[in-house]
Amino acid sequence: MKWLVSLVGGGLVMVTLRDLFHTLWHPTRHGGLSRLVMTALWRLARRFRAPGRVVGLVGPLAMVTVVGMWAVTVVLGWAIVYWPHMPGAFTFSPGSQAAQEPALLDSVYLSLVTVATLGLGDIAPAEGWLRLVSPLEALIGFALLTATVSWVLEIYPALTRRRVLAVRLALLRDADPTTRQIDCTAGALLLDSLVTDVACVRIDFTQYAEAYYFHDGEDHSSLAAMIGYAAVLAERGEAAGRPEVRLAGTLLAGALKDLADILDQRFLRTGGPPTEVFAAYAADHGRHGAQP
């Protein structure tokens, strides 16, 4: 029975590590506990029509919640591993009152100390297998801390790329170039650069799906509000006379369709064409979308 309980604890740790792996190092996978938490918080905020300032906190709070969930499940999982073997399989420092505490409390305490890599030494494993297994928790704790820092450092550059594209589209919408104006070499280069930017954002949504749950602030920096105008530019490029402009317009339309497919498959589930997907994207972020 002791081993069965320990196996349950080990299983809980493995579930957490699997979710961490698929969130940070294999992000193209769908689902996962972290995605469920972030989606639930986003839908909760949208359902109760939270003001923009509150919605803007959903992304950061969701990341904090996910990291906290990972930490709690790792600590509890290892505590369950230790629990059936406490206190007989452990040694206590002279004068320590830990042995007089409930076994579960001692197990949680030891797990917290170990995962935080403190190594206070007042409780130490005595049996051979525990002496081999216990240091693994410290390694997992260090990996969790490193992964959290890496996650933060990776997500914010992705948000910056998305907002830069939105600002570019907002400036273009204000200038509103006609088909005749973009029917030149400069127009072809402009559309080609937008193709690159859209493709980068598409990759970001694939690798950092949690970026979807970050609010972008004002309309001019919100991709949800501005992405519709990129489709307008693609149509104007395809209607141009120069072949290089038509090609750039076709490439931009293809990049936008690819982006719409990712948004629809992972978040929106409309099953419609790109225009419908972008409209749903704008609505989900509290926007009306850029109008031609």
Side-chain angles (χ1 to χ4, degrees):
M1 185 62 183
K2 288 184 178 182
W3 289 104
L4 181 60
V5 174
S6 294
L7 286 175
V8 170
L12 186 60
V13 173
M14 293 304 297
V15 168
T16 304
L17 293 179
R18 180 178 181 273
D19 189 62
L20 190 151
F21 172 79
H22 283 298
T23 299
L24 300 181
W25 296 298
H26 188 216
T28 55
R29 169 185 165 271
H30 294 256
L33 295 176
S34 57
R35 281 288 305 279
L36 291 176
V37 169
M38 303 189 85
T39 302
L41 290 175
W42 177 260
R43 290 179 178 174
L44 189 64
R46 299 302 306 157
R47 180 176 181 179
F48 289 99
R49 301 181 183 275
R53 185 173 298 179
V54 175
V55 174
L57 294 174
V58 170
L61 286 177
M63 290 185 70
V64 171
T65 302
V66 170
V67 172
M69 177 190 69
W70 288 338
V72 169
T73 50
V74 166
V75 169
L76 289 180
W78 280 99
I80 293 172
V81 171
Y82 301 142
W83 183 27
H85 311 280
M86 185 72 70
F90 295 85
T91 59
F92 299 82
S93 61
S96 173
Q97 301 297 317
Q100 301 176 13
E101 301 293 338
L104 181 58
L105 180 61
D106 281 343
S107 299
V108 173
Y109 165 75
L110 176 60
S111 183
L112 279 170
V113 169
T114 306
V115 81
T117 66
L118 293 177
L120 298 180
D122 52 343
I123 304 178
E127 291 190 4
W129 71 275
L130 283 172
R131 295 178 66 185
L132 292 175
V133 168
S134 183
L136 292 178
E137 185 180 7
L139 292 176
I140 291 173
F142 182 76
L144 180 60
L145 175 61
T146 305
T148 300
V149 174
S150 299
W151 197 19
V152 172
L153 293 178
E154 288 172 353
I155 190 67
Y156 281 96
L159 295 175
T160 299
R161 288 189 289 270
R162 189 173 80 191
R163 289 164 183 166
V164 167
L165 175 58
V167 171
R168 286 195 67 193
L169 290 174
L171 293 172
L172 286 168
R173 185 191 63 174
D174 293 341
D176 197 21
T178 63
T179 299
R180 183 176 179 180
Q181 287 177 312
I182 64 174
D183 192 11
C184 59
T185 302
L189 293 174
L190 171 65
L191 295 178
D192 188 63
S193 67
L194 289 176
V195 171
T196 302
D197 290 346
V198 171
C200 287
V201 170
R202 185 264 189 210
I203 295 299
D204 287 337
F205 275 124
T206 302
Q207 294 186 341
Y208 313 111
E210 57 277 4
Y212 180 87
Y213 304 106
F214 279 75
H215 198 259
D216 287 325
E218 301 298 328
D219 281 354
H220 71 278
S221 61
S222 171
L223 186 64
M226 293 299 157
I227 192 62
Y229 190 72
V232 175
L233 292 174
E235 291 176 1
R236 293 177 184 176
E238 290 178 304
R242 290 175 177 262
E244 64 269 26
V245 179
R246 291 200 304 271
L247 175 61
T250 301
L251 291 175
L252 179 56
L256 289 170
K257 184 180 183 305
D258 198 20
L259 174 61
D261 289 342
I262 291 297
L263 289 172
D264 203 38
Q265 291 170 8
R266 292 200 157 210
F267 311 105
L268 300 170
R269 305 288 197 277
T270 68
T275 53
E276 183 178 340
V277 173
F278 291 146
Y281 178 36
D284 198 34
H285 281 252
R287 312 294 183 179
H288 298 293
Q291 299 298 323

